[in-house]
Amino acid sequence: MSGRPLPPRTPRAAVPSATGPWLSDGPQGGPPQAGGTLPAAVLFDRDGTLVSDVPYNGDPARVEPMPRAREAVDAVRARGIPVGVVSNQSGVARGLLTRAQVEAVRRRVEELLGPFDVWAVCPHGPGDGCGCRKPAPGLVVAACARLGVPVERAVVIGDIGADMGAARAAGARGVLVPTPVTLPEEIEAAETTAGDLLAAVRLVLDPEDGSGHGPRAAPIAWEAR
């Protein structure tokens, strides 16, 4: 939200770009899902979704997982589906965060929640005109390209409208997990909502489970696309 894991391989360092996102790879799992009822990748927003939202946080000691976050991400990993993070971090552009701080927080998130197959981070501000800052599609597209999966078979799970907008713009599916800061209009506009992160993952992994909450807790039906 803020401004808003075949054998392991050595992670690559984040690659900064003047116009695109910072990308970092984790240890890669098996081949991506080719079809059927499961997505090819699940991409999570960071702040407010995986971990508590601490605005412009550069301190690993302040990283606190959201309820059931580890259980949710592990459920995706258990199905052999790649997991990634797509995160706006405008604190970099605002001079409030350094790349080293963003990386330190990333490492702490992985200490708590396990390794992710890809991270895509937008370091730009709202006025920079980049194509990666959510709700633009760039983070989702870049993460899927790095994973080698079709974007239309990816799911983005997040807590605000920008996350859903990025999914929609990229051609992916979105699942909104509202928090106290989620605007009513963002909930109303969401195609699919869930009461918590684990419920969102269950909607993605078990379309007949119906674990979501609210009128838009529809299962993810890939055959319909």
Side-chain angles (χ1 to χ4, degrees):
M1 173 182 157
S2 282
R4 280 213 7 140
L6 299 173
R9 67 185 186 187
T10 302
R12 274 188 287 184
V15 180
S17 167
T19 57
W22 293 348
L23 293 170
S24 359
D25 293 341
Q28 304 295 293
Q33 299 290 327
T37 61
L38 294 177
V42 178
L43 307 176
F44 298 88
D45 171 55
R46 194 191 84 177
D47 303 312
T49 301
L50 289 175
V51 299
S52 296
D53 182 31
V54 178
Y56 311 121
N57 183 32
D59 182 359
R62 301 184 70 189
V63 175
E64 180 180 350
M66 293 291 281
R68 310 187 84 176
R70 180 69 193 239
E71 185 179 0
V73 182
D74 279 349
V76 182
R77 294 186 181 112
R79 295 292 188 97
I81 301 169
V83 290
V85 178
V86 287
S87 179
N88 288 350
Q89 293 298 322
S90 69
V92 177
R94 301 173 195 269
L96 302 172
L97 290 173
T98 65
R99 174 181 169 188
Q101 288 175 310
V102 173
E103 285 292 294
V105 169
R106 176 182 69 82
R107 289 191 296 270
R108 181 57 177 160
V109 172
E110 294 201 329
E111 287 175 4
L112 294 169
L113 301 181
F116 289 84
D117 298 284
V118 66
W119 285 71
V121 174
C122 173
H124 309 111
D128 288 342
C130 71
C132 53
R133 178 176 168 81
K134 296 178 290 186
L139 290 181
V140 177
V141 172
C144 288
R146 184 59 65 97
L147 291 171
V149 303
V151 69
E152 65 272 14
R153 292 196 59 80
V155 174
V156 178
I157 300 178
D159 67 315
I160 61 171
D163 301 315
M164 301 301 98
R168 190 178 308 113
R173 293 294 185 91
V175 181
L176 183 72
V177 182
T179 69
V181 305
T182 312
L183 300 175
E185 55 266 35
E186 295 174 331
I187 300 173
E188 180 64 25
E191 178 183 5
T192 305
T193 64
D196 60 35
L197 194 56
L198 185 59
V201 162
R202 285 173 173 164
L203 281 174
V204 171
L205 300 180
D206 300 296
E208 303 305 318
D209 180 51
S211 294
H213 296 72
R216 290 170 182 78
I220 304 295
W222 297 104
E223 299 82 359
R225 284 189 75 85

